[in-house]
mmCIF file of all heavy atoms in Angstrom:
data_model
loop_
_atom_site.group_PDB
_atom_site.id
_atom_site.type_symbol
_atom_site.label_atom_id
_atom_site.label_comp_id
_atom_site.label_asym_id
_atom_site.label_seq_id
_atom_site.Cartn_x
_atom_site.Cartn_y
_atom_site.Cartn_z
ATOM 1 N N PHE A 754 -28.241 192.105 73.781
ATOM 2 C CA PHE A 754 -28.752 191.909 75.132
ATOM 3 C C PHE A 754 -27.569 191.918 76.092
ATOM 4 O O PHE A 754 -26.548 191.275 75.848
ATOM 5 C CB PHE A 754 -29.513 190.588 75.248
ATOM 6 C CG PHE A 754 -30.043 190.315 76.628
ATOM 7 C CD1 PHE A 754 -31.051 191.091 77.168
ATOM 8 C CD2 PHE A 754 -29.511 189.281 77.401
ATOM 9 C CE1 PHE A 754 -31.545 190.853 78.446
ATOM 10 C CE2 PHE A 754 -29.998 189.025 78.668
ATOM 11 C CZ PHE A 754 -31.014 189.813 79.197
ATOM 12 N N THR A 755 -27.721 192.661 77.188
ATOM 13 C CA THR A 755 -26.664 192.759 78.193
ATOM 14 C C THR A 755 -27.059 191.963 79.425
ATOM 15 O O THR A 755 -28.150 192.159 79.984
ATOM 16 C CB THR A 755 -26.416 194.226 78.579
ATOM 17 O OG1 THR A 755 -26.079 194.968 77.395
ATOM 18 C CG2 THR A 755 -25.282 194.340 79.582
ATOM 19 N N LEU A 756 -26.175 191.061 79.859
ATOM 20 C CA LEU A 756 -26.451 190.255 81.042
ATOM 21 C C LEU A 756 -26.378 191.116 82.296
ATOM 22 O O LEU A 756 -25.887 192.248 82.292
ATOM 23 C CB LEU A 756 -25.444 189.103 81.142
ATOM 24 C CG LEU A 756 -25.354 188.143 79.958
ATOM 25 C CD1 LEU A 756 -24.433 186.981 80.303
ATOM 26 C CD2 LEU A 756 -26.714 187.623 79.555
ATOM 27 N N ARG A 757 -26.841 190.551 83.400
ATOM 28 C CA ARG A 757 -26.845 191.284 84.666
ATOM 29 C C ARG A 757 -25.447 191.681 85.122
ATOM 30 O O ARG A 757 -25.274 192.663 85.838
ATOM 31 C CB ARG A 757 -27.519 190.434 85.741
ATOM 32 C CG ARG A 757 -29.025 190.261 85.517
ATOM 33 C CD ARG A 757 -29.608 189.218 86.442
ATOM 34 N NE ARG A 757 -31.050 189.037 86.188
ATOM 35 C CZ ARG A 757 -31.762 188.027 86.681
ATOM 36 N NH1 ARG A 757 -31.178 187.116 87.453
ATOM 37 N NH2 ARG A 757 -33.057 187.929 86.410
ATOM 38 N N ASP A 758 -24.438 190.901 84.701
ATOM 39 C CA ASP A 758 -23.063 191.238 85.101
ATOM 40 C C ASP A 758 -22.383 192.170 84.104
ATOM 41 O O ASP A 758 -21.182 192.426 84.217
ATOM 42 C CB ASP A 758 -22.232 189.973 85.283
ATOM 43 C CG ASP A 758 -22.086 189.175 83.979
ATOM 44 O OD1 ASP A 758 -22.600 189.626 82.924
ATOM 45 O OD2 ASP A 758 -21.441 188.111 84.010
ATOM 46 N N GLY A 759 -23.147 192.683 83.127
ATOM 47 C CA GLY A 759 -22.597 193.623 82.160
ATOM 48 C C GLY A 759 -22.070 192.988 80.890
ATOM 49 O O GLY A 759 -21.657 193.703 79.971
ATOM 50 N N THR A 760 -22.078 191.647 80.797
ATOM 51 C CA THR A 760 -21.595 190.973 79.595
ATOM 52 C C THR A 760 -22.517 191.285 78.421
ATOM 53 O O THR A 760 -23.740 191.137 78.508
ATOM 54 C CB THR A 760 -21.548 189.452 79.809
ATOM 55 O OG1 THR A 760 -20.685 189.170 80.902
ATOM 56 C CG2 THR A 760 -21.039 188.739 78.559
ATOM 57 N N ARG A 761 -21.913 191.718 77.312
ATOM 58 C CA ARG A 761 -22.695 192.040 76.122
ATOM 59 C C ARG A 761 -22.836 190.804 75.236
ATOM 60 O O ARG A 761 -21.852 190.135 74.935
ATOM 61 C CB ARG A 761 -22.031 193.166 75.335
ATOM 62 C CG ARG A 761 -22.021 194.499 76.065
ATOM 63 C CD ARG A 761 -21.413 195.583 75.204
ATOM 64 N NE ARG A 761 -21.489 196.894 75.847
ATOM 65 C CZ ARG A 761 -21.058 198.019 75.297
ATOM 66 N NH1 ARG A 761 -20.519 197.991 74.082
ATOM 67 N NH2 ARG A 761 -21.157 199.164 75.950
ATOM 68 N N THR A 762 -24.072 190.536 74.850
ATOM 69 C CA THR A 762 -24.347 189.372 73.999
ATOM 70 C C THR A 762 -25.267 189.796 72.860
ATOM 71 O O THR A 762 -25.782 190.920 72.835
ATOM 72 C CB THR A 762 -25.036 188.246 74.790
ATOM 73 O OG1 THR A 762 -26.354 188.668 75.152
ATOM 74 C CG2 THR A 762 -24.252 187.886 76.048
ATOM 75 N N ARG A 824 -21.961 185.211 72.436
ATOM 76 C CA ARG A 824 -21.051 186.223 72.981
ATOM 77 C C ARG A 824 -19.781 186.230 72.146
ATOM 78 O O ARG A 824 -19.191 185.181 71.883
ATOM 79 C CB ARG A 824 -20.713 185.906 74.440
ATOM 80 C CG ARG A 824 -19.764 186.896 75.106
ATOM 81 C CD ARG A 824 -19.599 186.548 76.576
ATOM 82 N NE ARG A 824 -18.884 185.292 76.742
ATOM 83 C CZ ARG A 824 -17.553 185.178 76.833
ATOM 84 N NH1 ARG A 824 -16.799 186.269 76.771
ATOM 85 N NH2 ARG A 824 -16.991 184.002 76.994
ATOM 86 N N LEU A 835 -24.302 180.768 74.706
ATOM 87 C CA LEU A 835 -24.570 180.693 76.139
ATOM 88 C C LEU A 835 -25.916 180.052 76.447
ATOM 89 O O LEU A 835 -26.101 179.520 77.545
ATOM 90 C CB LEU A 835 -24.541 182.096 76.761
ATOM 91 C CG LEU A 835 -23.370 183.013 76.368
ATOM 92 C CD1 LEU A 835 -23.485 184.333 77.105
ATOM 93 C CD2 LEU A 835 -22.046 182.335 76.651
ATOM 94 N N ALA A 858 -22.898 177.886 83.468
ATOM 95 C CA ALA A 858 -22.177 179.068 83.937
ATOM 96 C C ALA A 858 -22.994 180.343 83.811
ATOM 97 O O ALA A 858 -22.656 181.366 84.428
ATOM 98 C CB ALA A 858 -20.864 179.215 83.154
ATOM 99 N N TYR A 859 -24.076 180.312 83.045
ATOM 100 C CA TYR A 859 -24.856 181.528 82.813
ATOM 101 C C TYR A 859 -26.289 181.404 83.330
ATOM 102 O O TYR A 859 -27.115 182.259 83.046
ATOM 103 C CB TYR A 859 -24.845 181.879 81.322
ATOM 104 C CG TYR A 859 -23.474 182.277 80.850
ATOM 105 C CD1 TYR A 859 -22.612 181.336 80.312
ATOM 106 C CD2 TYR A 859 -23.027 183.585 80.996
ATOM 107 C CE1 TYR A 859 -21.333 181.689 79.904
ATOM 108 C CE2 TYR A 859 -21.748 183.949 80.588
ATOM 109 C CZ TYR A 859 -20.911 182.991 80.049
ATOM 110 O OH TYR A 859 -19.638 183.348 79.658
ATOM 111 N N GLN A 860 -26.573 180.355 84.073
ATOM 112 C CA GLN A 860 -27.880 180.248 84.701
ATOM 113 C C GLN A 860 -27.980 181.270 85.830
ATOM 114 O O GLN A 860 -27.013 181.521 86.546
ATOM 115 C CB GLN A 860 -28.105 178.825 85.219
ATOM 116 C CG GLN A 860 -28.224 177.802 84.105
ATOM 117 C CD GLN A 860 -28.316 176.368 84.595
ATOM 118 O OE1 GLN A 860 -28.458 176.118 85.784
ATOM 119 N NE2 GLN A 860 -28.219 175.419 83.664
ATOM 120 N N GLY A 861 -29.169 181.880 85.984
ATOM 121 C CA GLY A 861 -29.342 182.912 86.994
ATOM 122 C C GLY A 861 -28.971 184.302 86.527
ATOM 123 O O GLY A 861 -28.988 185.252 87.316
ATOM 124 N N HIS A 862 -28.659 184.460 85.241
ATOM 125 C CA HIS A 862 -28.305 185.770 84.677
ATOM 126 C C HIS A 862 -29.467 186.405 83.904
ATOM 127 O O HIS A 862 -29.289 187.405 83.227
ATOM 128 C CB HIS A 862 -27.098 185.650 83.740
ATOM 129 C CG HIS A 862 -25.797 185.420 84.460
ATOM 130 N ND1 HIS A 862 -25.528 184.273 85.148
ATOM 131 C CD2 HIS A 862 -24.701 186.227 84.584
ATOM 132 C CE1 HIS A 862 -24.304 184.343 85.661
ATOM 133 N NE2 HIS A 862 -23.787 185.523 85.348
ATOM 134 N N GLY A 863 -30.661 185.785 83.952
ATOM 135 C CA GLY A 863 -31.823 186.343 83.268
ATOM 136 C C GLY A 863 -31.976 185.901 81.831
ATOM 137 O O GLY A 863 -32.866 186.406 81.124
ATOM 138 N N LEU A 864 -31.143 184.956 81.399
ATOM 139 C CA LEU A 864 -31.201 184.543 79.996
ATOM 140 C C LEU A 864 -32.477 183.773 79.680
ATOM 141 O O LEU A 864 -33.088 183.967 78.628
ATOM 142 C CB LEU A 864 -29.986 183.687 79.640
ATOM 143 C CG LEU A 864 -28.684 184.439 79.366
ATOM 144 C CD1 LEU A 864 -27.574 183.460 79.030
ATOM 145 C CD2 LEU A 864 -28.877 185.416 78.224
#
Side-chain angles (χ1 to χ4, degrees):
F754 179 68
T755 303
L756 303 187
R757 291 169 182 168
D758 63 2
T760 301
R761 294 183 176 182
T762 68
R824 180 175 68 89
L835 314 182
Y859 293 93
Q860 293 175 9
H862 287 67
L864 281 180

